[in-house]
Amino acid sequence: MLCTLVTNVSAQVSELEKHPQKDTARVRLLNQLSRSFFPKDAAKTAQYASEALKLSDSLRFKAGTMWAIRNLALAENIKGNLEKQTDLTINALKLADEINDAYAQGVLNTDMGNILVEQNQPRQALRYQKKALRIKQSLGQPAEIARTLNSIGSSYIRLNKLDSALHFLLESERIKLSLNDHPGLAVTYENIGLVYAEKRQYGMALPYFEISEQYYQETDNLNGLVKAHLNIGFAKTMLHRYDEAEQHLTEAARLNSNIRNMKNTLVYHKNMATLDSARGDYAGALTNYKEFSRLNEELFSVEKTKFIANTKEKYESEKKQHENKLLRKEQQLHLATIKQQRIFVIFCTMLLLGLFVITAVLYLMYRRQQELYSQLTHRNLQVQQQNEIIMEQNAALENGSQIKDKIFSVISHDLRSPLAILEGLLFLLRDNKMSEEQFRLFSHELWRDMKNTAYMMDNLLQWASSQMKGIHVTPDDFDISAVLKSEFELLQSLARQKEITLTHELQRPIMVFADPDMIRLVLRNLISNAIKFTPANGSVNINYLLLPDRIELIVQDNGLGIAAADQVKVFSNIYYSTSGTRNEKGCGLGLPLSKDFVERNNGSIWFHSASGKGTSFHFTLPLSAEEENSNRGYTIIVKDNHERVLND
């Protein structure tokens, strides 16, 4: 198989040398040759794709441009630059849609699905993959159908829907066997093995890993070969064949030293830690696990650096394109001015024919000069406006950078810590380093930390969407008491954890007009905040004041209260945060986000607090039209779980 591939590449190089003409046929040869070097040689893949792109642009050959951009995206995939690969693939897909090339649409939708799987976004990947499958089935392309079925299987593995994954992978295997497609079968068998490994059926997984290793060897796919040895080593560890497992893991490390793939190195140390732990070599297991953790942090930093570099590169590229447009407009203005000056000289020569003609032409020239001056003034204003737009875009980019830094800061410090603690506890529990009784001692505190982390993640995602102007209010009539009760049970569990009494007075339906998802988050933030800053044996109560056209909801606690000096920070963009009575963490986004959501729904929010005496948060929402009509002319207050009606 390897000899066949080398022969094909040599034949393509020879055919390209025999065709020096700068035409579309040469573009196709360059793109074919670029694709032949994937995935073995990123430099060659990019070299021939770049030449094809340059020639296609000069010929205005959109199909050639599209395939050249796709091959450049594949070169970035070899180098691990998923952000650049994503941008290039999207550009190629736009060209495919523009020229209505169904075959290319199928291929590029599959590529996008694979990128999203590697970025651990399987749900988004499935949209592209299933669209690609429909296109390829309509075109009757067995090889491409099998490739897409395999990609769909990979997405379902990431979603832990193993039976669905196995269904698509076995269908892919059936087609590839009929085509005798060994390179494709290598990937499919690797994925089938992963399904059985996830099911802990290691005896079933091992034969698939071994045949995938054989096919990767046939096609000289070095990265695939490394992954195959890692998978075989893990399966044999689980089957207690420790010496054989160590041989495969050692071979994986040796082969990976040639390609230096960080993710493979990460998996190697994780699998070695599992092997050492299974053999009772706890010192070795700890060493490998520490190296795994260090590399995991390093990989996170590398991905973050790549993201920032790609964002900066996009900005610089867009800035240069804008500057080029301004230069072209300025050149056109200069050319127009030169042309007008030549016309002026011709008219001056003609003026010598007579005083009458001179007088008439001078008058016309005067008018013409006034028009030119007006045009130049107008164009100068346009340039100034464009400069102002550029400055606004720079400010927007800087704001986006600050949002990104805040997200990375929260992920790095506040969200990763509870997950790292959980991972460490589970590692000790799995390897019998900690009894189940000991684990239960930590489980309540760990459960509370994980719920706080989940709330922080909700706030972070909603805040980021709000800051990037990607969130929209969808108001509707809904029962505010039902929304409160749906959140109350989980919040009650958090309160019981801290021995806090949590009660509410909303015992009857009250219809309001607002976005229910936004108000759900506001209630959750205010109540969980009250629990967070209330010590043991304290109380948190939710009551309300029903006005003719709105409802005022009150979340009151007898906790720590807010110091007078800190009260101005609560709703500000400083993202003020302190630890709770049991060291509960926060990211400082909950209250500013709650204020934003309440005001987006035509309400207002405020609070009263005294240090050491507790805090009460108040916010209002408009009533639904039906509720407003039924309550018109009355004010209802709640005391001791009973409503009292006052004339308005």
Side-chain angles (χ1 to χ4, degrees), residues 447 490-502 531 540:
W447 180 86
L490 179 59
L491 293 165
Q492 187 71 267
S493 298
L494 286 174
R496 282 196 292 265
Q497 285 280 318
K498 293 186 67 176
E499 301 178 348
I500 292 170
T501 302
L502 177 63
I531 295 170
V540 177

Side-chain angles (χ1 to χ4, degrees), residues 177-196:
L177 283 172
S178 68
L179 299 172
N180 197 29
D181 179 10
H182 284 195
L185 283 167
V187 180
T188 299
Y189 285 142
E190 177 187 344
N191 284 333
I192 293 175
L194 290 174
V195 171
Y196 285 117

